[in-house]
Amino acid sequence: MKIAILPGDGIGTEIVAQAVRVLEALGQKFEMETAPVGGAGYEAHGHPLPDGTLKLAKEADAILFGAVGDWKYDTLERSLRPEQAILGLRKHLTLFANFRPAILYPELVGASTLKPEVVSGLDILIVRELNGDIYFGQPRGMREAPDGPFKGSREGFDTMRYAEPEIRRIAHVAFKAAQKRGKRLTSVDKANVLETFQFWKDIVTDVHKEYPDVELDHMYVDNAAMQLVRAPKKFDVIVTGNMFGDILSDAAAMLTGSIGMLPSASLDANSKGLYEPSHGSAPDIAGKGVANPLATILSAAMMLRFSLNLPAEADRIETAVKRVLAQGLRTPDIYEAGTTKVGTVDMGSAVVKALS
Ligand code: NAD
């Protein structure tokens, strides 16, 4: 089993190193090969997604990704910025289904900004479409407005579009995920205003006919944002488009106390996937040894379960993470009085120790 290790920038290198230690401690034979991506790719080969890195990602059975980005690259032209690497990998490998579980560990109930009764026991899954929507729709650009009340002024524009097969494939993935959980799916749209999302709603409703055991409801994205902070436990699985999913999944992340706790998986039609923490490269804390590595370690567990068919090993990692939290070990982002503050490496060591 070959795993491409793409640590990226900022805290990416620190947290991926801990996840690699955990994988090595499982006693399985993984072939792991590391390559630069993001700002590191640009520095090494002049491009955020160098050819060699893309080749490795294509050959591998799964990809473990850290994070990319740094403010120092903000002046580069868009195609060379680190964030293009992740968009490129999603597109080249057709990773269209993003799974972001938001689970609140009982020990971290006090780390959430919401009241304990609102979030305790939270276990929801957001399934976000990753390959389409306004993030990829053409045409896009900046120009002189050709018409309208501001005709002749400069304007920026993007195009929101979804093709029927794109909606069908993500809907199937979401219904199947709901079947394995609480059998409830909420499709989030903006059908009251956007044609694209009226179409989305119609297609999801049609796909539902094949999953009569799953209860489906539809919710507008503004209401979904409100319900996520008002009564998040009402949800089981949420499916939505690329942009709404981007925003809602970060809101869901904070319900659990810290974005440093949340893993994610981006899968293709054959369950090959890219696994990464839900957060970015956190340049504000990079190099300080304080980043929380648990989201990346839990992403490695998702990789074992979804792409490498090693569910028992995935369980071992998740149980080890629960153990270290029960022992009271906390990185600064989840620290509370009465617990023990540790850094990135010590947290990784504690998970490795708790595996046995
Ligand atoms: P961020 O997620 O990097 O950081 C937001 C806040 O959360 C910061 O205060 C940071 O210190 C904290 N944080 C994030 N991860 C943490 C962890 N593991 N432990 C403790 N604290 C953590 O988002 P940002 O600051 O908006 O973006 C920074 C850079 O990351 C930008 O260049 C952005 O484009 C990039 N980014 C990359 C990805 C990705 O690689 N998939 C995703 C989001 C942002």
Side-chain angles (χ1 to χ4, degrees):
M1 281 173 283
K2 183 162 181 172
I3 306 173
I5 306 286
L6 310 184
D9 308 317
I11 62 168
T13 50
E14 301 168 51
I15 53 183
V16 166
Q18 301 314 311
V20 167
R21 288 178 68 202
V22 171
L23 286 170
E24 283 170 350
L26 288 173
Q28 292 281 332
K29 282 205 169 14
F30 299 120
E31 188 193 334
M32 295 194 242
E33 192 177 330
T34 303
V37 73
Y42 177 76
E43 302 289 350
H45 302 286
H47 195 277
L49 184 54
D51 290 345
T53 304
L54 180 58
K55 185 165 172 282
L56 171 65
K58 283 183 173 166
E59 282 167 9
D61 298 299
I63 302 148
L64 186 64
F65 189 93
V68 291
D70 192 293
W71 317 128
K72 72 180 176 191
Y73 301 113
D74 281 358
T75 50
L76 286 176
E77 69 166 88
R78 190 167 297 281
S79 66
L80 294 178
R81 290 197 202 156
E83 293 77 7
Q84 293 304 313
I86 186 77
L87 296 177
L89 282 167
R90 286 171 187 165
K91 205 70 195 167
H92 283 294
L93 303 180
T94 325
L95 305 171
F96 68 88
N98 184 236
F99 279 54
R100 285 214 197 175
I103 297 169
L104 182 66
Y105 292 91
E107 294 82 5
L108 296 185
V109 97
S112 173
T113 45
L114 268 68
K115 293 188 192 119
E117 60 269 29
V118 176
V119 284
S120 67
L122 181 80
D123 180 356
I124 64 178
L125 173 67
I126 299 188
V127 179
R128 165 188 169 197
E129 200 290 328
L130 269 191
N131 275 189
D133 207 349
I134 197 163
Y135 288 7
F136 290 101
Q138 295 290 345
R140 58 193 287 160
M142 294 174 205
R143 64 181 175 189
E144 198 172 284
D147 46 30
F150 299 103
K151 186 174 175 189
S153 307
R154 270 165 28 92
E155 70 171 12
F157 66 103
D158 296 275
T159 305
M160 177 177 273
R161 56 198 290 183
Y162 261 124
E164 182 171 344
E166 277 181 301
I167 305 173
R168 283 195 183 275
R169 68 182 178 184
I170 193 72
H172 280 291
V173 165
F175 278 112
K176 287 192 174 104
Q179 276 181 325
K180 291 188 192 142
R181 296 176 38 107
K183 297 189 168 50
R184 287 184 298 113
L185 179 65
T186 303
S187 172
V188 172
D189 61 56
K190 190 72 184 168
N192 51 342
V193 178
L194 297 168
E195 296 301 327
T196 312
F197 275 91
Q198 180 59 55
F199 186 58
W200 170 283
K201 187 174 180 178
D202 295 346
I203 302 298
V204 172
T205 304
D206 192 48
V207 174
H208 183 212
K209 290 180 195 148
E210 295 176 50
Y211 302 88
D213 54 331
V214 177
E215 194 186 308
L216 171 69
D217 70 320
H218 303 274
M219 194 178 279
Y220 297 140
V221 63
D222 39 349
N223 186 22
M226 190 171 76
Q227 298 304 331
L228 262 181
V229 288
R230 196 180 77 91
K233 285 188 278 183
K234 283 207 307 203
F235 294 106
D236 177 19
V237 180
I238 292 174
V239 64
T240 190
N242 205 346
M243 181 164 64
F244 299 156
D246 191 2
I247 300 164
L248 292 181
S249 56
D250 267 26
M254 274 321 292
L255 302 175
T256 67
S258 170
I259 201 161
M261 290 300 302
L262 288 193
S264 83
S266 303
L267 304 177
D268 72 4
N270 304 312
S271 296
K272 173 169 172 171
L274 180 147
Y275 298 82
E276 58 173 332
S278 299
H279 56 76
S281 55
D284 54 333
I285 56 167
K288 296 186 179 159
V290 295
N292 186 345
L294 293 180
T296 316
I297 291 171
L298 291 167
S299 300
M302 286 182 89
M303 175 176 78
L304 298 175
R305 180 169 290 119
F306 288 118
S307 289
L308 302 183
N309 203 17
L310 292 170
E313 280 71 14
D315 285 346
R316 274 182 73 197
I317 295 180
E318 286 161 358
T319 304
V321 168
K322 284 183 193 144
R323 282 195 192 134
V324 299
L325 293 173
Q327 287 161 13
L329 302 183
R330 303 282 187 274
T331 43
D333 56 307
I334 50 173
Y335 176 76
E336 286 176 87
T339 60
T340 309
K341 204 183 275 184
V342 293
T344 311
V345 175
D346 286 346
M347 187 57 109
S349 304
V351 176
V352 168
K353 198 167 162 214
L355 281 174
S356 49

